[in-house]
């Protein structure tokens, strides 16, 4: 039967947790190193950078696509979150990804489901304070994904800094035998950090949204010029963002890279975290000041 190469390359879509587990174990039985890239789909170049890293470092890569209801609060955008399965599969086919895990919600949260993962201190402030229950949802689904696809390595983006730190904490605390790899933030040419939620921005909002990355660039320039007073850097970020029309700042902070506690003085390195709403769209971004700790 004739095949086009596109058909030949399309990843196998696995929807069953037990089947996914079996496939990963089968690879490992042949001493293959397995990489997992958890996503919620609507794939962009940021996601694809994680996928490419896994393809480079591992023999077999699984990309999961699951919009996790547990990490959205009732007033958030779960139902309208972009779902673009066909084009996601085409992008993954182009890269040569063999397997996509895309379960229905009932496979992950069957009737009677009632076990949750609570990660401590690092989840309390910033995103955790603005989005109660968010990291509980993230940690729970990621631990499940790491059980379902018990890979050797899992890849996360530094764009979601607090999330990456939370997952590191969880796998350490719960002795999950996996290496967590945190990859750099991928940006558009104008500096905007790529995010599946950027599609919600109209052209004017998108222009306003650039203030986030602009403020963080200024922060990095201050740090590079020798500024170590964290409050001065934080205040400069705040001033830039709050003077942009149409942008509502949720928080701007200069924090310790491992505890996320606000710093007064930067000794070694720090992370500048920002979150703001542009119209109805909530965006987050961050900049490492100094050496990345994760
Ligand atoms: P999401 O689909 O938003 O849950 O993201 C899936 C993974 O992609 C997470 O580990 C994110 O941190 C990562 N990610 C999202 N945006 C970017 C980006 N612009 N650069 C690098 N990684 C990203």
């Amino acid at each position: 039967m004739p095949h086009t190469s596109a058909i030949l390359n399309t990843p196998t879509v696995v929807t069953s947790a037990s089947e996914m587990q079996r496939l990963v174990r089968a690879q490992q039985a042949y001493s293959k190193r397995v990489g997992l890239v958890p996503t919620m789909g609507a794939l962009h170049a940021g996601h694809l950078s994680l996928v490419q890293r896994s393809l480079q470092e591992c023999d077999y890569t699984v990309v999961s696509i699951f919009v996790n209801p547990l990490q959205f609060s009732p007033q958030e955008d779960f139902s309208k979150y972009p779902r673009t399965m066909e084009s996601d599969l085409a992008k993954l086919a182009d890269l040569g990804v063999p397997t996509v895990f895309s379960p229905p919600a009932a496979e992950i949260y069957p009737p009677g489901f009632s076990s949750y993962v609570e990660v401590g201190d690092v989840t309390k402030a910033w995103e955790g304070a603005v989005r109660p229950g968010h990291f509980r949802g993230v940690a729970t689904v990621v631990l499940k994904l790491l059980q379902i696809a018990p890979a050797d390595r899992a890849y996360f983006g530094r764009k979601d800094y607090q999330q990456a730190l939370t997952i590191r904490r969880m796998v350490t605390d719960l002795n999950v035998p996996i290496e967590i790899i945190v990859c750099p933030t991928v940006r558009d040419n104008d500096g905007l950090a790529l995010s599946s939620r950027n599609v919600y921005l109209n052209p004017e909002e998108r222009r306003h949204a650039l203030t986030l990355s602009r403020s963080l660039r200024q922060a990095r320039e201050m740090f590079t010029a020798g500024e170590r007073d964290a409050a001065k850097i934080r205040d400069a970020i705040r001033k830039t963002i709050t003077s942009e029309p149409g942008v509502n700042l949720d928080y701007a902070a200069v924090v310790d890279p491992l505890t996320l506690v606000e710093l007064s003085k930067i000794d070694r390195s720090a992370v500048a975290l920002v979150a703001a709403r542009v119209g109805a769209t909530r965006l987050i971004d961050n900049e490492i000041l100094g050496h990345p700790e994760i």
Side-chain angles (χ1 to χ4, degrees):
M1 200 168 88
H3 284 291
T4 68
S5 60
I7 290 171
L8 274 179
N9 284 335
T10 298
T12 303
V13 179
V14 178
T15 57
S16 142
S18 56
E19 171 70 1
M20 189 66 252
Q21 219 166 32
R22 198 186 60 71
L23 284 171
V24 169
R25 295 232 165 93
Q27 293 291 327
Q28 287 164 334
Y30 288 101
S31 302
K32 303 286 190 198
R33 181 190 275 171
V34 179
L36 172 67
V37 183
T39 80
M40 298 204 299
L43 300 181
H44 52 62
H47 298 115
L48 299 182
S49 72
L50 312 184
V51 174
Q52 275 163 322
R53 179 94 178 257
S54 175
L55 288 166
Q56 278 160 18
E57 295 181 355
C58 302
D59 304 301
Y60 179 73
T61 291
V62 177
V63 176
S64 65
I65 297 181
F66 179 63
V67 185
N68 174 32
L70 205 60
Q71 70 191 68
F72 291 78
S73 69
Q75 59 282 14
E76 288 180 344
D77 56 344
F78 173 71
S79 58
K80 73 174 182 112
Y81 194 84
R83 289 163 172 87
T84 59
M85 190 54 131
E86 241 175 75
S87 74
D88 289 352
L89 289 177
K91 288 172 187 169
L92 297 175
D94 276 350
L95 296 181
V97 170
T99 308
V100 167
F101 178 56
S102 178
E107 183 72 2
I108 300 297
Y109 303 115
F113 179 87
S114 62
S115 302
Y116 301 89
V117 181
E118 287 279 356
V119 180
D121 293 347
V122 297
T123 66
K124 299 301 177 227
W126 319 122
E127 286 305 280
V130 180
R131 306 178 69 186
H134 172 67
F135 287 118
R136 179 184 196 242
V138 169
T140 301
V141 81
V142 171
L143 184 62
K144 282 180 68 80
L145 291 169
L146 299 181
Q147 303 288 344
I148 293 166
D152 301 278
R153 291 186 173 176
Y155 295 82
F156 294 89
R158 197 172 286 137
K159 150 83 167 48
D160 299 284
Y161 192 90
Q162 192 173 9
Q163 170 175 286
L165 201 60
T166 298
I167 289 160
R168 275 265 165 94
R169 188 76 255 158
M170 175 183 75
V171 304
T172 302
D173 288 354
L174 301 182
N175 301 86
V176 184
I178 192 161
E179 197 180 340
I180 300 298
I181 313 284
V182 181
C183 304
T185 301
V186 176
R187 299 176 180 280
D188 260 336
N189 289 335
D190 56 12
L192 185 68
L194 295 183
S195 161
S196 304
R197 291 190 167 95
N198 291 352
V199 298
Y200 299 149
L201 300 169
N202 67 34
E204 193 190 341
E205 289 171 337
R206 200 183 177 294
R207 271 194 305 281
H208 293 319
L210 291 176
T211 191
L212 270 70
S213 54
R214 197 181 319 122
S215 73
L216 291 171
R217 263 201 316 277
Q218 288 163 354
R220 194 184 56 217
E221 282 159 15
M222 288 173 78
F223 180 82
T224 306
E227 184 60 75
R228 293 295 181 271
D229 182 332
K232 273 197 187 148
I233 298 178
R234 179 202 60 204
D235 291 345
I237 296 171
R238 279 191 188 157
K239 191 160 167 240
T240 299
I241 297 181
T242 53
S243 58
E244 182 76 21
V247 178
N248 288 304
L249 182 66
D250 275 346
Y251 60 79
V254 174
V255 301
D256 179 277
L258 295 177
T259 63
L260 302 187
V261 171
E262 236 181 333
L263 295 171
S264 49
K265 186 172 171 299
I266 305 174
D267 284 326
R268 283 155 44 88
S269 59
V271 183
L273 299 173
V274 297
R277 282 158 291 122
V278 184
T281 307
R282 194 162 177 283
L283 300 174
I284 61 172
D285 200 350
N286 66 78
E287 180 76 36
I288 309 295
L289 304 176
H291 187 73
E293 295 282 341
I294 65 163

